[in-house]
């Protein structure tokens, strides 16, 4: 057996960022820019008002309160043909181009606008109650982005704000590293598809759906390949259906039972680089290559499959996406109860992470068997018990992995 960190390092050495593609803007959310984005124009492209108010010359209101003549009404999306001269002002809406001659905007709340019952378009004068400074409530052209700037660099993960920024540059698509295609294959005569009638001794194919959900969580495209029976011929046929997958993930068939054929099949058709890892759950794990297709063989027990995918499949997907933040988000939390860890393996215990005035606290979810999926469904984290610790006492501060970033967000709120 090898350690978790060494196994992860070996597996990740097989992966590189996938090729760059141009895709529609909304489909790029969460993906990684594959090239620098150079602004072809300034944003905003013109000086404009940051507030609803009156555009004027700051010098004319230096001795406020003063009364100025209103010469125009400028809505967003329109340009006044007039210029603001001495003693004049223009009523202006947020985002409207600043008229020539004006160098400041006074908010409605700082004028007699709120007290004047006359219709806005009929006003001929306005009283300015506060002396403005030059530039008040004015957005300069290029204030956000100047032409020639690089607002998004290669390697940037595109969140909602970045998508909006690309749209502001008149880009309808983004050049990103494409999503990895992940084939997902369950194995074993005992596994029945969802919707099929259960035969004697059979169980449902929960693993494929769980693993597909994990692939989607980490921005990959899952392809369900069904269930391969316990024969080399069935495995070979399933492999042909993997098509152009960037990674094949199997569940089951990697232990040492009489019918655990996946590892043997990988050895006969390609090579195995990793087999058995010092972790719990998830010791039986195979990783290798068949032809040019990387294959991650996970245990059949659902919790073991989930934990193993989080430790090895997740960072592989992120690396193919072009991301560099491959490490699982981890916090230090106070453990609520004693945990035992016999056998010299790194133990990943399902838990619930909370926060109070004293900091993070973590509580194991209960039954820890590798087939008990309910304990994983109730959890929002993995408590990491080091392989060097036989016992971790209640009250100890311990590492806790948080696979879903939203968990941290809601816990910190």
């Amino acid at each position: 057996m090898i350690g978790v960190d060494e196994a992860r390092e070996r597996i990740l050495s097989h992966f590189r960022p996938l090729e760059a593609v141009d895709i529609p803007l909304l489909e790029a959310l969460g993906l990684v820019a594959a090239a620098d984005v150079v602004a072809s124009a300034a944003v905003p492209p013109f000086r404009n008002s940051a507030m609803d108010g009156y555009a004027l010359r700051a010098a004319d209101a230096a001795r406020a309160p003063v009364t100025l003549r209103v010469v125009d009404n400028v809505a967003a999306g329109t340009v006044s043909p007039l210029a603001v001269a001495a003693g004049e002002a223009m009523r202006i809406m947020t985002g409207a181009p600043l008229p020539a001659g004006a160098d400041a905007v006074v908010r409605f709340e700082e004028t007699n606008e709120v007290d004047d019952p006359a219709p806005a378009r009929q006003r001929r004068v306005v009283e300015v109650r506060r002396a403005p400074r030059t530039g008040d409530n004015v957005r300069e052209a290029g204030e956000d982005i100047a032409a020639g700037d690089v607002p998004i660099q290669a390697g940037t993960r595109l969140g909602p704000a970045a998508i909006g920024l690309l749209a502001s540059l008149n880009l309808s698509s983004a050049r990103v590293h494409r999503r990895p295609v992940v084939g997902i294959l369950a194995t074993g005569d005992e596994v029945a598809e969802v919707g099929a009638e259960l035969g004697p001794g059979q169980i449902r194919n929960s693993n494929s759906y769980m693993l597909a959900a994990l692939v989607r969580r980490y921005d990959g495209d899952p392809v369900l390949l069904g269930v391969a029976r316990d024969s080399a011929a069935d495995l070979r046929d399933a492999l042909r259906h993997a098509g152009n997958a960037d990674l094949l993930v199997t569940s089951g068939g990697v232990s040492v039972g009489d019918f655990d054929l996946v590892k043997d099949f990988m050895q006969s058709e390609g090579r195995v680089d990793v087999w058995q890892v010092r972790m719990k759950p998830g010791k039986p794990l195979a990783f290798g290559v068949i032809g040019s297709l990387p294959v991650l063989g996970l245990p059949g027990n659902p919790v073991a499959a989930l934990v193993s995918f989080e430790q090895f499949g997740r960072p592989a997907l992120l690396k193919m996406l072009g991301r560099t933040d491959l490490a699982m988000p981890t916090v230090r939390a106070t453990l609520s109860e004693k945990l035992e860890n016999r056998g010299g393996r790194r133990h990943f215990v399902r838990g619930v992470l909370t926060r109070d005035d004293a900091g993070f606290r973590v509580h194991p979810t209960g039954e820890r068997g590798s087939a008990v999926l309910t304990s994983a469904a109730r959890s929002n984290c993995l408590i990491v018990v080091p392989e060097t610790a036989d016992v971790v006492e209640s009250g100890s501060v311990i590492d806790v992995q948080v696979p879903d970033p939203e968990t941290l967000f809601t816990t910190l709120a």
Side-chain angles (χ1 to χ4, degrees):
M1 288 191 292
I2 62 174
V4 173
D5 299 328
E6 183 183 350
R8 187 184 297 114
E9 186 176 332
R10 284 194 198 179
I11 291 170
L12 289 178
S13 69
H14 289 267
F15 296 95
R16 299 288 182 273
L18 297 176
E19 68 270 20
V21 294
D22 293 300
I23 64 174
L25 213 51
L26 284 181
E27 295 178 20
L29 180 64
L31 300 184
V32 175
D36 290 346
V37 175
V38 180
S40 59
V43 179
F46 50 81
R47 297 178 85 201
N48 65 90
S49 177
M51 293 284 181
D52 295 335
Y54 285 87
L56 45 72
R57 304 189 328 168
D60 288 346
R63 301 195 177 198
V66 297
T67 299
L68 303 176
R69 188 163 63 93
V70 179
V71 296
D72 203 356
N73 190 62
V74 190
T78 66
V79 178
S80 176
L82 306 176
V84 174
E88 295 179 344
M90 289 189 192
R91 197 167 186 272
I92 193 168
M93 300 298 109
T94 302
L98 199 71
D103 59 14
V105 173
V106 174
R107 296 179 301 142
F108 286 150
E109 295 87 342
E110 296 166 341
T111 72
N112 66 349
E113 168 97 5
V114 292
D115 304 326
D116 191 340
R121 292 183 178 276
Q122 296 179 13
R123 296 195 182 102
R124 295 292 177 262
V125 295
V126 63
E127 182 187 29
V128 178
R129 296 172 174 171
R130 184 188 70 83
R133 294 173 297 183
T134 299
D136 275 2
N137 302 315
V138 174
R139 299 189 187 115
E140 297 293 338
E143 179 180 273
D144 191 2
I145 305 168
D149 279 357
V150 181
I152 294 179
Q153 296 180 328
T156 301
R157 190 179 184 211
L158 302 179
I163 296 295
L165 192 153
L166 291 171
S168 75
L169 294 172
N170 196 34
L171 297 173
S172 60
S173 64
R175 190 160 186 78
V176 295
H177 296 286
R178 68 171 176 84
R179 297 180 189 274
V181 177
V182 181
I184 297 172
L185 177 67
T187 69
D189 291 342
E190 76 280 12
V191 181
E193 273 294 8
V194 174
E197 186 175 346
L198 281 179
Q202 286 194 311
I203 57 173
R204 293 291 177 202
N205 179 17
S206 60
N207 280 355
S208 288
Y209 291 89
M210 175 185 68
L211 294 169
L214 285 166
V215 169
R216 284 192 173 174
R217 170 190 273 180
Y218 299 123
D219 294 315
D221 283 333
V223 177
L224 294 177
L225 299 175
V227 180
R229 300 304 163 199
D230 288 324
S231 73
D234 223 23
L235 287 172
R236 192 171 291 108
D237 184 61
L239 191 64
R240 283 197 295 268
H241 287 87
N244 296 320
D246 302 294
L247 170 66
L248 175 63
V249 177
T250 67
S251 60
V254 293
S255 191
V256 291
D258 292 346
F259 299 99
D260 287 329
L261 303 180
V262 171
K263 180 178 72 71
D264 294 339
F265 180 78
M266 289 170 64
Q267 285 177 321
S268 65
E269 301 290 326
R271 71 175 191 272
V272 175
D273 293 336
V274 175
W275 183 51
Q276 294 199 336
V277 181
R278 285 195 301 274
M279 61 185 286
K280 181 169 62 174
K283 180 180 77 170
L285 179 133
F287 177 82
V289 178
I290 299 177
S292 60
L293 177 63
V295 181
L296 178 62
L298 304 178
N301 281 322
V303 176
L306 184 150
V307 170
S308 298
F309 185 90
E310 292 284 16
Q311 303 310 310
F312 308 112
R314 172 190 179 275
L317 260 65
L318 298 188
K319 191 169 182 181
M320 285 189 280
L321 285 162
R323 290 177 57 174
T324 55
D325 54 333
L326 306 185
M328 183 83 76
T330 301
V331 299
R332 300 279 286 170
T334 302
L335 186 62
S336 68
E337 66 181 63
K338 176 181 176 180
L339 290 176
E340 295 188 354
N341 182 36
R342 310 300 177 186
R345 290 185 282 163
R346 189 174 301 180
H347 193 183
F348 296 93
V349 180
R350 286 79 75 197
V352 175
L353 183 69
T354 59
R355 184 183 173 94
D356 58 25
D357 292 341
F360 286 112
R361 297 186 179 278
V362 67
H363 179 73
T365 55
E367 174 58 52
R368 286 160 210 157
S370 60
V372 183
L373 198 52
T374 51
S375 67
R378 289 195 297 264
S379 71
N380 63 5
C381 66
L382 294 171
I383 305 166
V384 185
V385 181
E387 47 268 70
T388 54
D390 292 335
V391 176
V392 181
E393 298 291 346
S394 173
S396 299
V397 177
I398 195 166
D399 282 345
V400 176
Q401 293 182 343
V402 188
D404 184 358
E406 192 162 325
T407 297
L408 266 184
F409 180 78
T410 55
T411 304
L412 288 169

